[in-house]
Amino acid sequence: MNNFALRTLSGIAFLLIMLAGLLVNKFLFAGLVVLVLSLMLAEFYKMTMGDKYIFSRTLAILASIILFSLEFVTCAYEVNPKIVSIAMLPILIVMINSLYVKDKSDFGLFSNIYAGLFFISIPLALLNLIAFNDGVFNGRLILCFFVIIWSSDVGAFTIGSLFGQKNGKKLFPSVSPKKSWIGVWGGMAFAVIAAVLMNLLGVMEYPIWHCIALTVLMVIAGVYGDLFESQWKRHYDIKDSGTIMPGHGGMLDRFDSALFAIPVGAVYLSLFNLL
């Protein structure tokens, strides 16, 4: 019961922070993303590199914050997007810094720095392209994306727990033994229902078939995002990426699906000129 209460309270706190960051104003949005970005990278580097190369990892996190900030400025204030190229400078510094590391016995770990930048930093920087339209901030679409992702997670956990553990085929047992195909279809059903409801309520103002197609693609991408993070955790033999959310794990555990699902959703809407 205590664990359930802890999970509930931390979940409510997480939800309130997300709502504030996505709905209040662009500055809270920027603060939320920078915080989540920093925590996710710190967890990823801790998981993959332990306590090695702290200075280089810090440089990589700063480079990621600069990338997001430059993208934020170009979208929020309609500044020439060419300034985003400045973000390459701190990344080059990270690379140059690797030359001056004295202990190169685990030099291969440096590849994890670049993996984190690609896996985490770039998708979160692209959130600016979804949140702004002609310099005007509107985080409603990102919130809709998260509602789809969260609904899928709830559906996959609920249906998978009830029917998928003893019946049906496992999804990817070598990476995540508990995930089942029944859970995937349950998550898909919950997410589609959520998307249809948001469309009927006027929150997602796209044609209904676009909402359904978008949701299906995002759920598929989200499943792969979850599995991709699970593969890292299994390789390093850890259960959760962090402990910042009592009962829920780390930030990377909360946003792993979103790192794949949101870019796919944005690409879909862009292809149909809906973004």
Side-chain angles (χ1 to χ4, degrees):
M1 188 64 183
N2 288 336
N3 184 55
F4 176 77
L6 194 62
R7 285 176 59 88
T8 302
L9 290 174
S10 62
I12 292 173
F14 171 76
L15 179 60
L16 292 176
I17 292 171
M18 289 292 295
L19 290 175
L22 294 176
L23 299 179
V24 176
N25 60 49
K26 60 187 176 184
F27 300 111
L28 280 179
F29 163 73
L32 171 66
V33 178
V34 167
L35 176 63
V36 170
L37 169 64
S38 303
L39 291 172
M40 289 175 72
L41 282 172
E43 289 175 357
F44 181 77
Y45 292 147
K46 178 69 175 178
M47 174 175 65
T48 59
M49 304 175 74
D51 295 324
K52 292 182 176 293
Y53 307 126
I54 298 294
F55 181 70
S56 297
R57 289 153 51 177
T58 303
L59 284 178
I61 293 174
L62 289 175
S64 300
I65 293 173
I66 291 172
L67 171 62
F68 173 83
S69 300
L70 290 173
E71 190 70 42
F72 174 81
V73 169
T74 62
C75 294
Y77 299 100
E78 299 187 282
V79 177
N80 191 325
K82 292 180 180 179
I83 69 167
V84 176
S85 61
I86 297 173
M88 277 303 299
L89 294 178
I91 294 175
L92 290 175
I93 292 173
V94 173
M95 297 178 181
I96 293 171
N97 174 70
S98 68
L99 296 172
Y100 293 92
V101 172
K102 294 181 179 180
D103 181 9
K104 290 185 170 60
S105 58
D106 288 322
F107 185 72
L109 292 178
F110 264 83
S111 62
N112 293 320
I113 291 180
Y114 311 124
L117 292 174
F118 186 79
F119 173 39
I120 298 169
S121 305
I122 294 177
L124 291 184
L126 293 177
L127 286 176
N128 289 297
L129 302 178
I130 307 172
F132 292 95
N133 185 16
D134 296 327
V136 178
F137 172 73
N138 185 351
R140 189 173 66 180
L141 178 57
I142 297 178
L143 180 58
C144 289
F145 280 4
F146 276 115
V147 169
I148 290 171
I149 294 166
W150 293 336
S151 298
S152 175
D153 289 344
V154 170
F157 177 79
T158 303
I159 303 301
S161 297
L162 290 174
F163 306 106
Q165 298 304 308
K166 295 182 179 180
N167 305 296
K169 188 177 180 180
K170 297 299 181 181
L171 176 63
F172 226 114
S174 63
V175 174
S176 187
K178 292 185 178 181
K179 289 183 174 60
S180 65
W181 277 103
I182 291 177
V184 171
W185 293 119
M188 184 77 74
F190 273 50
V192 168
I193 291 171
V196 170
L197 288 175
M198 288 191 289
N199 179 265
L200 294 176
L201 293 172
V203 180
M204 289 185 71
E205 299 175 347
Y206 307 120
I208 186 68
W209 73 270
H210 272 305
C211 293
I212 294 174
L214 170 71
T215 298
V216 170
L217 290 175
M218 286 185 64
V219 169
I220 294 171
V223 169
Y224 278 110
D226 193 341
L227 290 171
F228 185 69
E229 193 231 359
S230 295
Q231 184 170 246
W232 285 95
K233 292 192 295 185
R234 177 163 288 271
H235 178 75
Y236 290 100
D237 194 26
I238 64 170
K239 182 179 183 295
D240 296 318
S241 65
T243 58
I244 193 168
M245 288 186 63
H248 292 274
M251 279 292 125
L252 192 54
D253 296 320
R254 296 303 93 212
F255 288 94
D256 53 0
S257 299
L259 293 174
F260 278 40
I262 289 178
V264 167
V267 168
Y268 176 88
L269 293 178
S270 298
L271 288 175
F272 289 94
N273 201 29
L274 296 173
L275 187 59

